[in-house]
Amino acid sequence: MAVRKDTIFERFLAPIFKNFLINQDEMRRLYESIDWKSAVARLSNPTLTYPSYYTDQNFHSIEGGYLNVSAAVSYDPITQYALPPGEAIVRQGLIDAIQTQPRRILDLGCGTGSTTLRLKRAFPQSEVIGLDLSPYMLTMAEHKAKKEGLKIQWRHGNAEQTGFPDRSFDLITASLLFHETPPAVSRRILRECYRLLTAGGEVVVLDGSQKMLRQTEWLTQIFEEPYITAYAAESVDAWMGAARFGAVRTQDVWLIQQVSRGVKPLAHQLTETELFADLEAIDSPQWAAG
């Protein structure tokens, strides 16, 4: 898969990662330890149509984005250095924001499963599902979960239209997803979250601080992120409010990141218009395929 050479990352940071920070031999051994062909075939949803925003753009200087093995193998080694003060601390910020004891959890845009695994460790009795558009990233996520002996379901799907039934989950999370989707898509994902959550259920989103990104434009230029400027210009709080979530709140995680949380209102908290909209959804449920 071709890599562009004119980005800031490729010109200045990639040599540091490749020569000093990333163990290339370890990455090669990881690659060789996985039967990629069979795993990708098994995890792929043959009926899935990839959205154009996902296939027509490069992500992180890799042409074709996440639909290749190299992206899946290199994602974790790079990300551990790309989330100051540390990936574990930042991802724990999402876990700490959760205020319920969920029975069913859906992690959207789960990637290689770094947050999904944390959710399962934090709520070992819960059913946890990780969903992503890339079967290659899901293959890596499955590999990591098996190594830890964690039972997690991995689904190849689109966060805008998951195919799960209404009110299927008590908690839905998304880590580092919204800055990689156009704002219109992010808003549709939150509307899908509202449909999928039970009354009183939570949606928790971890991503880059929109306020900080607006104040430090250079941060948006380091990695090739086609939608990050549009993401920075808007507000996850506003998106959640428009999707009818209540108790919406965003808090900083070490200044550079933010965690946003919203709650699907209980029935008695809904307005008459919202209540009728929910009743209409009950009369026309969307059932999961397979």
Side-chain angles (χ1 to χ4, degrees):
M1 188 63 66
V3 175
R4 287 185 54 188
K5 302 298 183 182
D6 58 344
T7 63
I8 293 176
F9 178 78
E10 280 300 318
R11 290 166 60 195
F12 302 110
L13 296 180
I16 297 174
F17 278 97
K18 293 174 182 176
N19 297 322
F20 301 103
L21 298 180
I22 294 178
N23 187 322
Q24 299 286 343
D25 291 334
E26 192 174 289
M27 280 181 55
R28 189 174 300 106
R29 286 194 294 271
L30 175 61
Y31 166 76
E32 293 172 351
S33 70
I34 298 172
D35 184 346
W36 290 93
K37 184 176 181 179
S38 64
V40 168
R42 175 171 46 80
L43 289 168
S44 292
N45 175 3
T47 67
L48 178 67
T49 300
Y50 291 108
S52 59
Y53 76 81
Y54 190 73
T55 57
D56 294 351
Q57 297 286 349
N58 301 325
F59 294 90
H60 304 169
S61 303
I62 300 175
E63 294 182 12
Y66 295 114
L67 294 174
N68 60 85
V69 174
S70 62
V73 174
S74 64
Y75 183 86
D76 287 344
I78 292 176
T79 303
Q80 66 176 319
Y81 297 107
L83 294 176
E87 182 182 5
I89 295 172
V90 171
R91 292 190 187 275
Q92 186 61 37
L94 180 145
I95 305 298
D96 293 343
I98 298 168
Q99 297 183 21
T100 60
Q101 288 293 320
R103 293 171 300 172
R104 297 194 77 218
I105 303 171
L106 176 62
D107 188 29
L108 297 174
C110 67
T112 63
S114 296
T115 296
T116 326
L117 270 62
R118 286 183 172 275
L119 287 163
K120 186 62 179 178
R121 292 188 215 110
F123 305 101
Q125 302 307 314
S126 300
E127 179 182 358
V128 179
I129 298 174
L131 181 142
D132 200 87
L133 274 168
S134 170
Y136 299 91
M137 303 295 271
L138 290 173
T139 295
M140 180 58 66
E142 181 184 69
H143 176 78
K144 289 160 62 176
K146 285 182 177 178
K147 282 187 66 176
E148 288 197 36
L150 297 175
K151 185 179 179 182
I152 298 171
Q153 298 177 47
W154 305 105
R155 295 291 186 93
H156 184 212
N158 189 335
E160 299 173 71
Q161 296 177 309
T162 63
F164 291 111
D166 298 340
R167 302 172 303 284
S168 297
F169 299 94
D170 309 298
L171 170 66
I172 299 178
T173 61
S175 298
L176 309 178
L177 171 64
F178 283 3
H179 78 272
E180 297 197 341
T181 58
V185 173
S186 301
R187 290 191 288 268
R188 287 196 292 270
I189 291 172
L190 284 169
R191 289 197 292 271
E192 176 74 346
C193 291
Y194 188 93
R195 181 185 72 81
L196 292 174
L197 282 168
T198 56
E202 294 177 280
V203 60
V204 183
V205 174
L206 166 68
D207 219 306
S209 166
Q210 290 170 301
K211 177 175 64 178
M212 181 62 69
L213 288 170
R214 285 194 293 269
Q215 295 173 353
T216 52
E217 186 177 348
W218 62 271
L219 282 174
T220 68
Q221 305 301 320
I222 294 179
F223 298 96
E224 187 173 5
E225 298 281 12
Y227 308 114
I228 196 168
T229 301
Y231 162 80
E234 299 204 24
S235 165
V236 174
D237 280 11
W239 297 345
M240 286 189 177
R244 297 189 286 161
F245 285 102
V248 175
R249 184 188 175 196
T250 291
Q251 58 187 40
D252 289 338
V253 178
W254 292 91
L255 294 177
I256 298 178
Q257 313 295 332
Q258 68 181 37
V259 171
S260 305
R261 175 183 176 271
V263 179
K264 183 172 181 177
L266 300 173
H268 71 272
Q269 297 172 319
L270 295 172
T271 66
E272 186 174 330
T273 300
E274 291 171 332
L275 185 57
F276 276 121
D278 279 358
L279 289 173
E280 195 172 290
I282 292 173
D283 290 336
S284 304
Q286 300 181 41
W287 301 106

